[in-house]
Amino acid sequence: MATTETTTIVVSDLFDVRQTQWGGRACFASKDIPENTTVLQTESAFGATVLYEFRKEVCAYCFHYEYGKYCKFKVPTPENGVKLTRKFQGAGLWFCSQGCLDRWTQFDPNNELTLTYESMLQNFQMKLKESHEKEDNNVEISKEIIGKEWVSISEWDDKISKMKKTKRLNQLPVLNEEEYASARFVALVLYNLHTHHKSSELFEHLQSNELEKITRFPVLLKSQTLVYKFLRLSLPEYLQPLLTIGSLRLIFGREYGNAFGIRQITDESSSEEKEFLGYMLSPEASYFNHSCRPNLKKTRDGNMMTFTTIKDVEKGEQLCIDYFQISEEPFEYRQKTLNENWFFQCACDRCCEERAMDSA
Ligand SMILES: [Zn+2]
Ligand SMILES: [Zn+2]
């Protein structure tokens, strides 16, 4: 899951991130690590978004969710001299506690991100009643087709840069709920780049899976261009220089295959289906490869993820997680799921053994 240049990436003193012979990067234990050791705890998410349908039920800071109960805390109207054309609506941010609201305020001390989200919310809702164009999902995708689509967007960019501000808003696209959620994901990444979040450099090292993902889901190409237009017309001045066609394509390309789902946390004994509430990206956690016989488990605590060994690991062994909680599933199912969602043929120890047994 990484690029090809040979820069050393330092994530932890318990493991090295190294280029592998089979391509991509992997994490190898740099010493013997006993079972039950935390090998990584991530920083606050570099990119994250809560799905629109859960916006009132999931805490915008810690992603706490309690079976459909509404969060009670909202951001107060910012008073730092910003003129809002419309009444402040809370930026689409709800918090589970005063503590989470306080932590949000620390994270966004000048309300820059809050006002970014507010502007996006108002623009999104303004268009909500208009119908969304149905897109053809069966188009052929190639590098050239993706390139061409973006050339037309760059022409649109030139065109609107010459327009008066009031006229520009007529160009605001209608987004569906998923597109709006992904626009918020991009806005958070841009904000974190703007404030030099600790993980910025690691983010730059992540591989883009743009072509693989769009080939699989052609509708995403149109969605990305709509999100681009929406952000161009909604982001405040301070983020505008960070939004370029190149940066947006890289953010999406890196999100694909590297983001983790934010799932409802239930107690271990519960057999209940966990709600999919949104998704988050922490670059430092993106170098663990998948194995159907993992030696790490991932747990989420608020907006951070913790990776812990579930068996003794010897120095030099690769550290792996089970991306999809599929280690209970049979070979064929695992191969199919991993290929469709993460774009690779699993060649972990277990898959190799099972494949060999099958052909024996
Ligand atoms: Zn919370
Ligand atoms: Zn496997």
Side-chain angles (χ1 to χ4, degrees):
M1 292 175 109
T3 51
T4 43
E5 85 269 32
T6 49
T7 339
T8 314
I9 296 167
V10 182
V11 179
S12 157
D13 58 2
L14 289 175
F15 61 85
D16 301 322
V17 180
R18 286 206 308 264
Q19 196 69 34
T20 62
Q21 296 151 323
W22 60 88
R25 289 193 179 110
C27 303
F28 297 94
S30 51
K31 51 187 86 163
D32 291 344
I33 310 172
E35 182 179 344
N36 249 327
T37 309
T38 294
V39 298
L40 179 72
Q41 187 159 50
T42 61
E43 299 289 330
S44 66
F46 194 70
T49 194
V50 168
L51 303 185
Y52 189 69
E53 60 172 307
F54 290 114
R55 67 198 182 283
K56 295 181 183 170
E57 295 155 29
V58 174
C59 175
Y61 190 83
C62 76
F63 309 132
H64 178 78
Y65 169 79
E66 225 178 298
Y67 305 99
K69 244 186 161 171
Y70 280 10
C71 292
K72 289 205 179 74
F73 296 82
K74 290 183 80 176
V75 201
T77 308
E79 285 166 7
N80 50 352
V82 186
K83 270 200 201 119
L84 292 165
T85 41
R86 285 157 289 184
K87 193 171 162 277
F88 183 72
Q89 294 180 16
L93 299 168
W94 275 264
F95 300 91
C96 70
S97 64
Q98 183 63 43
C100 278
L101 175 54
D102 292 345
R103 284 183 280 277
W104 176 265
T105 312
Q106 274 168 27
F107 176 68
D108 181 33
N110 304 316
N111 289 312
E112 286 177 312
L113 186 57
T114 301
L115 289 165
T116 301
Y117 281 158
E118 175 69 16
S119 148
M120 291 167 68
L121 176 70
Q122 296 199 1
N123 282 349
F124 171 65
Q125 289 184 337
M126 191 163 82
K127 290 278 176 177
L128 207 53
K129 289 190 192 77
E130 292 178 30
S131 63
H132 194 267
E133 270 175 69
K134 280 271 169 290
E135 287 303 329
D136 182 7
N137 206 11
N138 292 317
V139 280
E140 278 292 316
I141 292 293
S142 65
K143 251 189 178 159
E144 290 67 36
I145 288 171
I146 296 177
K148 252 194 198 155
E149 185 72 26
W150 285 109
V151 167
S152 76
I153 298 300
S154 115
E155 289 163 3
W156 173 86
D157 240 351
D158 287 344
K159 195 178 84 186
I160 64 135
S161 68
K162 294 175 193 124
M163 278 182 197
K164 285 206 183 102
K165 249 192 170 166
T166 44
K167 252 199 141 179
R168 275 196 202 183
L169 271 188
N170 296 334
Q171 296 278 320
L172 199 64
V174 187
L175 297 192
N176 64 30
E177 291 179 2
E178 293 95 82
E179 288 157 354
Y180 172 67
S182 68
R184 284 177 57 126
F185 178 91
V186 173
L188 178 60
V189 171
L190 294 176
Y191 176 77
N192 279 324
L193 289 169
H194 163 74
T195 57
H196 307 288
H197 186 287
K198 269 191 183 164
S199 306
S200 301
E201 210 188 311
L202 286 175
F203 177 72
E204 303 293 340
H205 287 300
L206 290 182
Q207 171 188 302
S208 168
N209 295 307
E210 180 188 59
L211 187 60
E212 293 89 334
K213 182 84 173 190
I214 294 183
T215 303
R216 187 86 62 190
F217 305 103
V219 71
L220 289 174
L221 180 56
K222 192 73 193 175
S223 282
Q224 286 192 4
T225 61
L226 293 177
V227 168
Y228 179 83
K229 288 182 174 180
F230 178 81
L231 288 170
R232 176 62 77 221
L233 298 167
S234 305
L235 290 182
E237 286 300 317
Y238 81 97
L239 284 182
Q240 287 288 341
L242 288 173
L243 176 73
T244 62
I245 289 175
S247 71
L248 183 104
R249 287 178 64 181
L250 273 176
I251 292 169
F252 277 125
R254 288 171 178 153
E255 178 231 297
Y256 303 145
N258 283 312
F260 290 92
I262 301 172
R263 289 185 182 274
Q264 172 186 8
I265 297 173
T266 52
D267 56 75
E268 303 251 335
S269 59
S270 165
S271 60
E272 205 174 350
E273 188 68 41
K274 291 178 185 151
E275 291 279 15
F276 182 82
L277 308 169
Y279 49 95
M280 67 198 274
L281 176 73
S282 292
E284 58 272 42
S286 295
Y287 296 99
F288 293 126
N289 285 325
H290 166 85
S291 170
C292 303
R293 191 187 283 146
N295 49 18
L296 292 183
K297 73 165 186 221
K298 167 179 77 82
T299 44
R300 178 172 69 78
D301 182 14
N303 60 6
M304 295 189 295
M305 290 181 286
T306 303
F307 295 84
T308 313
T309 48
I310 50 173
K311 48 182 92 160
D312 292 340
V313 175
E314 280 177 37
K315 181 179 174 181
E317 231 181 284
Q318 194 183 156
L319 293 169
C320 293
I321 54 170
D322 173 1
Y323 286 166
F324 262 87
Q325 276 102 55
I326 52 169
S327 45
E328 309 280 302
E329 304 292 338
F331 176 80
E332 296 296 334
Y333 178 89
R334 300 196 315 266
Q335 288 284 326
K336 187 169 171 279
T337 307
L338 292 166
N339 191 25
E340 281 177 3
N341 294 282
W342 301 79
F343 324 115
F344 67 90
Q345 298 267 304
C346 189
C348 73
D349 300 352
R350 186 174 152 206
C351 284
C352 289
E353 284 165 23
E354 289 178 15
R355 188 178 281 124
M357 264 170 13
D358 209 39
S359 54

